[in-house]
Amino acid sequence: MPLAYILLGARICNAPIFSRCNRHFSLMASSAAVVDDAKSGFSRPEMYKENLAGTVDAYDRHVFLCYKNHSVWPPRIEASEADPLPKRLASVWKARKNDIAVKTKITVCEAREEAGFADGDVLIFPDMIKYKGLEESNVDGFFDDVIVSGKEWSSGGEKSVLRGSHIFVCAHGSRDVRCGVCGPVLLDKLNEEIQLRGLKDQISVVACSHVGGHKYAGNVIIFCPGPDGKITGHWYGYVTPDDVPVLLDRQIAKGEVIQKLWRGQMGPTVAEIKVADDRKLANGDDNGKASLSNNENVGGCCQGANGVSCCQSASFEQNKDNDNKTGEAYKRQRSNISCSWPLLQKRDILTATGILGALAAVAIAYRFYRRSS
């Protein structure tokens, strides 16, 4: 007898049996979720097996095309015949790549109404600019004006300034199952924590397409002001729901890098940051903390991202001057001592000679006195 008839009969004749079936199917779904998490989610064996720092190529500008929802993206959205806008943008970027002076990445993100992003919107970081109305017919003009020449889009849509912080989570499940499992969970957790903190108007969260390094899922990119107020784009990998509060409370709120999960950033490479740290230490900063230590971030007039400084602080220069002055005074003091030492020695010798002469004269006088007696 078909299973459908059995279940139908159970429902009519014995409802508890049907309830037990529901519970059984729920348990099966839960077991499947556990298996997915162990194989493709936050418990997979590859988690934390690699040092993430340096797994992002150096680049200086990130362009996001807002387009549809991540759940409907094909594996290669940049080559999909059914998605002419991202395909056209990708083909023009490939053809004009050598004409672009600024190292640029282009990524698709979802058109999320809650974040104020619609199909055809283009987001540009670190410029914090949004252009509306990109279509297949005007991609060439947009590319010539904005991407290649760095000018205003002469024949394009409305331009506006982006505010606050922006988080992009790779949820491109059709491209890689790990991002498909981890991405949506992180999106929900981020939105939940942002809501709890009352930051919904200050932080936007959207899904994005492939960013490279699916094995590092969950992959998260955060664009937010650094300690100096400049926009930085930090990449994180192996992010789990438990890491979300830390990313919000430290990376976004304080500009502190979470070193364990940090893949790199837009702008200087990890090697360049290390060189800058080495130079800073060589110039007299003996606090023993690299810029990615997360222990302390002190802003200043020329404090760079992650604490990398482009100049020495005034206090350091003052201390250096004081040290120089102290050293010169000490040298002068030593010089005075070394010059006066022979004079003191000669004076002491003359005094001693006079005393001996007087004693000798007394002795001679006493001798004559004895004789005369």
Side-chain angles (χ1 to χ4, degrees):
M1 181 181 294
L3 178 61
Y5 288 104
I6 296 175
L7 292 178
L8 181 59
R11 183 176 184 183
I12 297 172
C13 301
N14 195 350
I17 295 177
F18 191 74
S19 298
R20 286 197 295 272
C21 289
N22 270 340
R23 289 197 297 271
H24 178 68
F25 286 128
S26 297
L27 289 173
M28 290 178 62
S30 299
S31 300
V34 171
V35 172
D36 285 344
D37 186 64
K39 183 179 179 181
S40 305
F42 304 110
S43 301
R44 60 187 191 276
E46 68 201 44
M47 293 285 284
Y48 312 112
K49 294 297 184 181
E50 292 188 35
N51 180 16
L52 296 178
T55 58
V56 177
D57 296 333
Y59 77 111
D60 299 302
R61 179 172 58 189
H62 209 144
V63 177
F64 289 86
L65 170 65
C66 301
Y67 185 77
K68 294 185 179 181
N69 184 277
H70 68 88
S71 62
V72 300
W73 292 337
R76 301 280 176 177
I77 190 171
E78 70 279 3
S80 172
E81 295 293 340
D83 301 287
L85 180 55
K87 181 181 179 181
R88 180 60 184 163
L89 184 62
S91 63
V92 173
W93 178 80
K94 185 176 181 180
R96 303 294 303 277
K97 193 173 182 179
N98 294 333
D99 300 329
I100 305 173
V102 180
K103 292 181 180 178
T104 302
K105 285 185 181 291
I106 297 181
T107 305
V108 175
C109 70
E110 65 180 347
R112 189 164 179 265
E113 184 178 350
E114 295 88 341
F117 303 147
D119 274 347
D121 286 353
V122 180
L123 318 177
I124 305 177
F125 299 92
D127 306 74
M128 296 293 283
I129 292 174
K130 179 178 79 171
Y131 282 107
K132 295 181 69 68
L134 186 66
E135 299 175 354
E136 186 183 0
S137 60
N138 57 23
V139 167
D140 289 273
F142 169 79
F143 228 87
D144 287 337
D145 290 344
V146 180
I147 305 302
V148 175
S149 302
K151 302 184 301 183
E152 296 285 330
W153 189 13
S154 59
S155 60
E158 177 187 349
K159 173 186 174 182
S160 59
V161 177
L162 295 171
R163 306 291 183 184
S165 300
H166 297 264
I167 303 176
F168 296 89
V169 180
C170 183
H172 201 167
S174 63
R175 184 74 176 265
D176 189 276
V177 67
R178 288 165 290 191
C179 292
V181 171
C182 297
V185 176
L186 290 175
L187 288 167
D188 290 341
K189 182 63 174 177
L190 281 162
N191 284 312
E192 176 187 340
E193 292 292 332
I194 289 170
Q195 184 72 33
L196 288 173
R197 288 163 173 76
L199 300 174
K200 189 175 180 180
D201 296 333
Q202 301 178 39
I203 305 174
S204 74
V205 182
V206 296
C208 70
S209 64
H210 173 64
V211 294
H214 286 310
K215 61 183 176 180
Y216 306 130
N219 282 304
V220 176
I221 307 174
I222 299 177
F223 294 95
C224 61
D228 60 350
K230 294 182 179 179
I231 298 298
T232 57
H234 290 279
W235 291 51
Y236 287 99
Y238 295 148
V239 178
T240 71
D242 292 337
D243 299 316
V244 167
V246 178
L247 290 176
L248 295 176
D249 297 338
R250 291 178 58 185
Q251 173 62 83
I252 292 182
K254 299 180 181 180
E256 297 178 355
V257 171
I258 315 305
Q259 194 171 14
K260 177 185 177 181
L261 309 173
W262 191 72
R263 294 186 57 188
Q265 70 181 70
M266 178 179 59
T269 63
V270 173
E272 289 171 339
I273 293 173
K274 186 178 186 305
V275 168
D277 289 337
D278 292 342
R279 287 175 180 170
K280 184 170 67 171
L281 292 173
N283 286 337
D285 185 353
D286 58 353
N287 61 14
K289 298 176 184 177
S291 64
L292 303 180
S293 65
N294 305 331
N295 294 327
E296 184 176 357
N297 286 277
V298 181
C301 64
C302 46
Q303 190 78 20
N306 301 321
V308 178
S309 179
C310 60
C311 66
Q312 295 171 332
S313 65
S315 60
F316 174 80
E317 292 294 342
Q318 290 169 359
N319 291 335
K320 186 177 178 182
D321 291 340
N322 291 337
D323 290 342
N324 289 338
K325 291 177 182 178
T326 303
E328 291 173 0
Y330 180 68
K331 288 179 181 178
R332 286 197 300 270
Q333 185 180 4
R334 286 197 60 188
S335 177
N336 292 336
I337 292 174
S338 63
C339 292
S340 63
W341 168 246
L343 296 177
L344 292 173
Q345 189 179 40
K346 183 178 180 180
R347 187 168 56 196
D348 292 342
I349 292 173
L350 291 175
T351 301
T353 301
I355 293 173
L356 290 175
L359 291 174
V362 170
I364 293 172
Y366 179 73
R367 186 179 301 173
F368 277 112
Y369 171 76
R370 290 289 302 271
R371 286 179 181 177
S372 61
S373 303

